[in-house]
Amino acid sequence: MSHQTPLGTSLPPANCLDLWREKNDQLVRQVKVAQDSRLPLRRQQLAQDALEGLRELLHCLQGLPAAVPVLPLELTVICNLITLRASLAQGFIEDQAQDIQWGLERVLETQEQLGPRLEHGLTGLWNSILHVSSTLLELLPVLHHLAGLQVALWLSTDCLGDLTLLLQTLNGSQSGASEDLLILLKTWSPPAKESDAPLTLQDARGLRDVLLTAAAFRQGLQELVTGSLPRALSSLHEAASALKGGSNWGPPLLEASRLFRQLGNTVAELESLELLVETLSVTPSSEVPHLLIEVELLLPRPDPASPLHCGTQSHVKHLLASRCLQKGRAEDAAEHYLDLLALLLDGSEPKKFSPPPCPPGPSMPELFLEAAAALIQAGRAQDALTVCEELLSRTSSLLPKMPWLWEDARKGTKESPHCPPWVSATYLLQGQAWVQLGAQKEAISEFSRCLELLFQATPKDKEQGPASNCEQWCSSNVALQQLRAAALISRGLEWVASGQDARALQDFLLSVQVCPGNRDASFHLLKTLRRLNRRDEATALWRRLEAQTKLPQENATWSLPLYLETCLSWIHPPDRETLLEEFRTSLPEPCDL
């Protein structure tokens, strides 16, 4: 096939072309060496040196008149230069569009078609290039590669109209073709480059896959904003599926899990979180190709306060474990919590034990308590005791060590020693573990120790401040009330199991007093009064419970720690409605006078 070249143009000697090509290949190999280096400074220096070498090589190539035999190398150098610059800058910059434009103009120079089309900008240049591309078959692979970089640039700058037109042209579409970006990207099939073609940092097909993932994520977020949940779910799931190849980027998975949760699809939600944990745990290696144009470069970068921020592997692992516990998948929750504790404590010093810096997440002690609750829920009481003992051993410096301090506190001669609520909760969970093991004496001992600590604690004084502080104060004191009620009810149930109803009655009465809003305490009290044949008191309590069921439910509910919610679920009487109905049918109807 003959090619047109401008008059007066001479091709460079073959040996020069070979040298330039070898220079390009050497620079590409240098970048790949930089990728594999574990020394950040060396990696940065090698990459910067390669970038400068590519600039010099392109300057040499563009210092000669454009010629078709040289263009595959020249355009490849442009592609490598744009890719490396975007990678080092962690995003596209404005003058990279100029690099693309120069490359397109050089192609048109060889066809003597440069002129008025420049007035139409990059869109006009691409239309002209692709119109004549049928006569430039040897340029097709590298032109598609350059087009992929143009798509990436336009995608990152939200030029979706130009992007759609370019993809339609690449696919040979006529008017009326689909404008769906995902369909266009799936349809686009960049031609394979020749085996002896110059080396590239990233081929067009790999770039196409990155573009498809980024476009699916952007489309999913847009549909989420407009309220189209099913379509958003489909788009985000498609974006997430592309991450199975070892990428360490997970916002689509996090968004997909949240959507599944909103739609009530627990199985899919947990599968998304499991995949996200796996994704965040992948360590880049030489076996996994490092794509220099990655999805992150094509999306707005979320800050840590954004809902798109996935956090670390431990953050996501906790989210997965807690959701399993909330949804009744106790065995899975227990394993995830044990993995999480191992991840957090690996190599840590026992004395350095403090909550994580992120306020929204649970503290380290709360993670231990959640793990213990999950283990008890899964029937692994002995493991739960081990976790509780580990927590107490790591926090022993926070506990009062001298017995007479407690004696002085009881007598009121000294101020009560401060003890964090989660210490009391540890003894509560240890008691529940002993209940599961059938050790009644040990269980009652742990519940009593928990209550001793709890009744030394006093509710915090309410401070003047913003509404959020007020909510935090209310939530903290509600949790303290519920914790006291849980310990009293738990000990009371053990008294019932040992036939000591009189002692159980005292605990149930006190639980109603310390936490009037806990209806479970009232129901346990009602059953005990009935067993003790204290009919008048039982009837009066039943009437109060009946009246409460007819009142509208209050909307204000305070969030409790997950370990406490789990513990409260164990002492929930399963026969509440049956008990009320039995009282309702056993009482005589009131007589009309």
Side-chain angles (χ1 to χ4, degrees):
M1 181 180 294
S2 60
H3 302 288
Q4 297 179 354
T5 56
L7 295 177
T9 297
S10 60
L11 294 177
N15 59 341
C16 286
L17 193 57
D18 291 339
L19 288 173
W20 290 333
R21 173 191 164 136
E22 179 54 37
K23 181 64 174 177
N24 170 81
D25 293 354
Q26 181 263 323
L27 292 170
V28 169
R29 286 191 288 267
Q30 179 175 323
V31 173
K32 294 185 183 296
V33 169
Q35 289 175 190
D36 297 335
S37 175
R38 296 187 178 183
L39 301 174
L41 291 178
R42 173 171 168 75
R43 181 168 57 245
Q44 185 74 10
Q45 188 61 54
L46 285 172
Q48 288 290 354
D49 290 347
L51 182 65
E52 190 58 37
L54 288 169
R55 283 198 183 103
E56 293 174 0
L57 178 56
L58 183 61
H59 181 73
C60 290
L61 291 167
Q62 293 187 337
L64 298 172
V68 171
V70 185
L71 279 176
L73 175 60
E74 183 176 328
L75 296 179
T76 297
V77 173
I78 292 175
C79 291
N80 288 335
L81 181 63
I82 293 173
T83 299
L84 187 54
R85 287 185 69 193
S87 175
L88 292 174
Q90 285 298 289
F92 286 91
I93 50 182
E94 187 174 345
D95 62 351
Q96 286 171 324
Q98 187 69 48
D99 292 335
I100 295 175
Q101 180 170 326
W102 285 342
L104 298 180
E105 290 174 0
R106 296 276 288 176
V107 175
L108 288 181
E109 281 181 29
T110 65
Q111 305 300 301
E112 298 183 337
Q113 294 191 22
L114 194 61
R117 289 177 178 79
L118 284 178
E119 299 174 2
H120 301 287
L122 277 168
T123 304
L125 280 173
W126 274 113
N127 286 333
S128 299
I129 291 291
L130 296 174
H131 179 72
V132 300
S133 62
S134 59
T135 62
L136 302 170
L137 296 180
E138 61 266 65
L139 292 184
L140 274 182
V142 71
L143 282 174
H144 274 255
H145 190 173
L146 192 62
L149 291 170
Q150 180 71 78
V151 170
L153 178 60
W154 277 339
L155 184 62
S156 66
T157 54
D158 282 320
C159 298
L160 301 185
D162 292 339
L163 187 160
T164 300
L165 289 173
L166 176 57
L167 286 172
Q168 288 175 337
T169 307
L170 286 171
N171 293 335
S173 304
Q174 303 300 320
S175 59
S178 172
E179 295 185 359
D180 187 296
L181 188 55
L182 295 185
I183 293 177
L184 290 170
L185 281 168
K186 290 176 186 176
T187 306
W188 176 39
S189 179
K193 63 180 183 180
E194 298 293 334
S195 58
D196 60 346
L199 294 182
T200 56
L201 290 173
Q202 181 178 9
D203 62 37
R205 293 184 177 184
L207 179 58
R208 193 277 308 267
D209 293 340
V210 170
L211 293 169
L212 183 57
T213 303
F217 183 48
R218 292 178 77 101
Q219 184 168 308
L221 289 184
Q222 182 61 37
E223 289 159 348
L224 183 61
V225 170
T226 60
S228 178
L229 289 183
R231 287 177 59 85
L233 196 58
S234 174
S235 298
L236 291 173
H237 184 57
E238 184 163 356
S241 66
L243 298 174
K244 294 180 181 179
S247 170
N248 62 354
W249 180 79
L253 288 167
L254 187 61
E255 278 303 311
S257 71
R258 287 173 176 160
L259 272 176
F260 285 127
R261 180 175 182 176
Q262 187 175 351
L263 295 175
N265 191 336
T266 302
V267 173
E269 175 200 352
L270 297 180
E271 286 177 353
S272 297
L273 288 173
E274 287 171 353
L275 184 56
L276 179 52
V277 170
E278 181 182 346
T279 298
L280 291 175
S281 67
V282 170
T283 302
S285 67
S286 58
E287 297 177 0
V288 180
H290 181 67
L291 304 179
L292 291 173
I293 299 294
E294 295 181 302
V295 182
E296 298 97 318
L297 304 186
L298 308 180
L299 300 173
R301 189 171 285 198
D303 60 69
S306 165
L308 299 184
H309 183 65
C310 335
T312 63
Q313 183 187 0
S314 60
H315 292 146
V316 180
K317 192 74 172 175
H318 174 256
L319 180 58
L320 173 59
S322 61
R323 289 298 292 156
C324 285
L325 182 56
Q326 289 170 331
K327 289 300 179 179
R329 295 175 58 164
E331 294 182 1
D332 291 339
E335 289 300 327
H336 290 313
Y337 273 115
L338 291 177
D339 290 346
L340 174 62
L341 292 180
L343 183 67
L344 291 173
L345 300 178
D346 182 31
S348 62
E349 297 180 17
K351 293 182 180 179
K352 295 182 178 179
F353 190 74
S354 59
C358 303
S363 66
M364 279 293 290
E366 285 180 307
L367 291 180
F368 272 84
L369 295 173
E370 289 177 16
L375 288 163
I376 295 172
Q377 186 83 356
R380 298 170 60 176
Q382 196 61 58
D383 290 334
L385 287 173
T386 301
V387 168
C388 290
E389 290 165 3
E390 178 71 13
L391 173 58
L392 292 176
S393 70
R394 286 177 172 270
T395 56
S396 57
S397 61
L398 301 177
L399 305 180
K401 294 182 179 180
M402 301 179 183
W404 60 83
L405 285 178
W406 289 108
E407 189 63 29
D408 289 338
R410 291 192 192 95
K411 294 177 181 178
T413 56
K414 289 188 178 180
E415 184 180 356
S416 298
H418 172 69
C419 193
W422 48 261
V423 177
S424 306
T426 307
Y427 293 122
L428 172 63
L429 288 169
Q430 286 188 147
Q432 290 292 352
W434 286 119
V435 168
Q436 193 174 92
L437 293 171
Q440 196 172 80
K441 180 180 177 181
E442 288 82 356
I444 290 175
S445 175
E446 295 292 348
F447 292 142
S448 298
R449 195 170 185 183
C450 168
L451 288 165
E452 185 179 17
L453 294 176
L454 283 174
F455 283 103
Q456 296 294 336
T458 57
K460 296 179 182 178
D461 293 330
K462 184 176 180 181
E463 299 177 356
Q464 298 296 324
S468 60
N469 291 344
C470 177
E471 291 178 5
Q472 187 176 8
W473 176 84
C474 293
S475 179
S476 173
N477 287 307
V478 168
L480 181 60
Q481 288 179 348
Q482 293 287 353
L483 191 56
R484 287 171 173 169
L488 285 165
I489 294 172
S490 298
R491 189 173 68 175
L493 289 174
E494 290 308 294
W495 293 132
V496 170
S498 63
Q500 302 184 62
D501 282 338
R503 303 186 79 169
L505 180 65
Q506 293 177 355
D507 280 347
F508 294 147
L509 277 169
L510 188 53
S511 67
V512 171
Q513 292 172 10
V514 301
C515 191
N518 189 312
R519 287 171 59 83
D520 287 348
S522 297
F523 275 95
H524 286 299
L525 176 59
L526 178 62
K527 293 172 70 175
T528 306
L529 288 170
R530 187 185 189 188
R531 278 196 307 274
L532 292 172
N533 202 27
R534 297 170 64 160
R535 186 174 179 81
D536 292 342
E537 294 168 89
T539 301
L541 178 57
W542 169 77
R543 293 190 188 283
R544 288 200 300 272
L545 289 171
E546 278 281 271
Q548 289 175 5
T549 59
K550 297 175 182 178
L551 295 175
Q553 297 294 320
E554 296 182 4
N555 292 328
T557 56
W558 305 105
S559 175
L560 296 175
L562 179 56
Y563 67 83
L564 182 53
E565 287 184 349
T566 307
C567 192
L568 288 170
S569 72
W570 300 332
I571 57 178
H572 178 74
D575 54 349
R576 296 198 326 184
E577 293 304 319
T578 302
L579 184 61
L580 289 177
E581 183 61 29
E582 288 176 356
F583 267 88
R584 195 177 297 118
T585 55
S586 64
L587 290 176
E589 293 292 333
C591 298
D592 294 331
L593 297 177

